[in-house]
Structure formats: structure tokens, C-alpha cells
Amino acid sequence: MPATSSHTDLLVIGGGPAGCAAARTAASVGMRSVLVEPDALCRNLYRVTALNNVLGGHPGGPSLADAVTTELKNTDLCRLEIGRRVTDLRAAATHVTVTLDDGTRLTAPYAVVATGVGPLQPAEVPWISSPSGLALPPLWQADGDDAAGRTLLVLGGDRPIGTFLRAHPTTATRLLVAHTAADAYKTEEIRDDPRVTLLPVEHLTLRSSGGPTAVTAEAVDPRGARRTVTADAAYLSIGNAPTAPPGDLVRGPDGYCPPGDQHPRVLVAGDLRSARFQRIMTALGSGAEAALQAYYAARLPAV
């Protein structure tokens, strides 16, 4: 029989900024928690080389991630389950139970789900045609060596492009940013950077991809004109998809999990809530708020 643990006040699923803030805030009010993270604490934050939307004087993601993870690892009331993945989440009248990938079951009165999002791939958006099974890295994973002296085809005009350019202000590169009309407003902060060439498209067909092989794409612009685009490599900036665990979570048509639609014992925090508020500061705040919501719900009588 799988082991069962019910000696905690709060389960936290996800170890990004929102999950870490939830566990740390829970500890500050005396709540015990178990935080489950399949990879490493603040894994994605370590890859954000330049920050412009957080307090505290952190110049980049690694600095903030170090501060967050160090504080959490020194929090006595939080037990970390690193390297474990939640395979099922079930909410009952008095508790929430999650099952981990090793068969362990964890139970607590409340759970904060903060599993965030992952990058959309070309096959998941209608305006890109690509070879079967193609998977490309997001632009924020590229470093200076990936860009120096090279032409990069960026699929989508999402805001991480600006972060990349600020992180590498002196890197000589050329970004060919293929985007649809829906992303036009997001490109305002990068359109004057001399390293950027904007390519408004209705559709783009990738012919080859990635690694040392040059990328070739056929682009159809909003007027129906066709052109061939070549680059040294291709990266993604087309947005993200929610990565909620299986089980008792209510998902909207877009796959996100609106907090107000969930079981009363399941609290959603961070980027998993909506595509509209995907910022580090809002993730930290929502994680802390979710922990306090669980704290007060456990102590105040129902109205």
C-alpha cells in the first residue's frame, strides 16, 4: 500500500516564486507545509537574466532565486519534496489528497497549486506549420553565445524578447521576430531596437529547425505576400500553456485554472491563474495571499 502522510497544514504544489511565497508565508503564521517540486526551486527564475518588475534591488533572476530558495530551505516549518511530481489531486469535504509519482499520498486541509506554465510549441498555435514533433527552446533560455553574431528567428512577439535584449545590451545579434496582429502591441518596447526586425505574418511554415542547421521558413504577411526567411536558429516567444496537475482542478477554455472556480480547499496561485498576470511580482503576491487564505479559512467559522 502507498504511504500516506497527513501531518501538515498545507500542501504546496510547485516550487516557483508563487509556491515558495506560499510556503514561506504559511510558516510565518505557524502553518506546516509540504512543497512538491519535480525539478528545482525557482528553476525558471534562474534563467531570467534581467529583471525590471520586482522590488528588492535584484539585477537578475539568479539573484532573486538565490534569495528565495535560501530563505525557504531555512524555513523549519516547510518540508521540501524535490524531484517528485504530483500525478493526481483530489479534493474532499475536509481535506485535499495528492498522489506523487512514487505512489506516496500526502493529505492536508488545503492545497495551493502553483505549477505555472510552460512554453507553447509551434504545433500548438494555428498560425505556424512545422515538421512533426518539432520542439524549440524559448528565447529566454538563449545566452549571449547563442546570439553573438547570429541571426535568430523568434516565433511570436511575447514580452520575454525585451527581457532578452536588456540582458544582452551589447551582444551583436539580429532578431527576426515573426508575429501575428494579436501580438503587435507587445512589440512596442522592442520595435526601436536596431537589432530587431519585425515580421508581421498571417502564417509561417518552418522548413527546418534548430541546432547547427540553418532555419528556413516561408512567411505569408497580412496582405498575402510571401517571402522566404532564413536564420541561424529558431526560438519561441509565442506565449505559454498552463501545466496543472491531473485531478480536481477546474480548467477554463484556455486551460488556465481561475481561482474563483475551484473547490474551496484548492487555492490556485501564480501564473496558473490566468495569462493576464504573468509577472514575478504578481506570482509572489498571489502565493502569499493563497497561504493566508488557507490560514484564515482554517480558523474562522463559515459565514
Side-chain angles (χ1 to χ4, degrees), residues 261-283:
D261 295 344
Q262 307 305 318
H263 188 283
R265 295 189 177 273
V266 177
L267 310 166
V268 176
D271 290 356
L272 187 61
R273 299 171 300 160
S274 166
R276 299 183 64 184
F277 303 110
Q278 293 183 4
R279 298 289 188 273
I280 295 168
M281 283 288 283
T282 58

Side-chain angles (χ1 to χ4, degrees), residues 64-84:
L64 177 59
D66 280 343
V68 170
T69 58
T70 297
E71 186 166 348
L72 189 57
K73 288 177 180 178
N74 292 327
T75 299
D76 292 336
L77 291 178
C78 177
R79 189 180 101 216
L80 299 175
E81 288 283 348
I82 305 299
R84 296 266 69 93

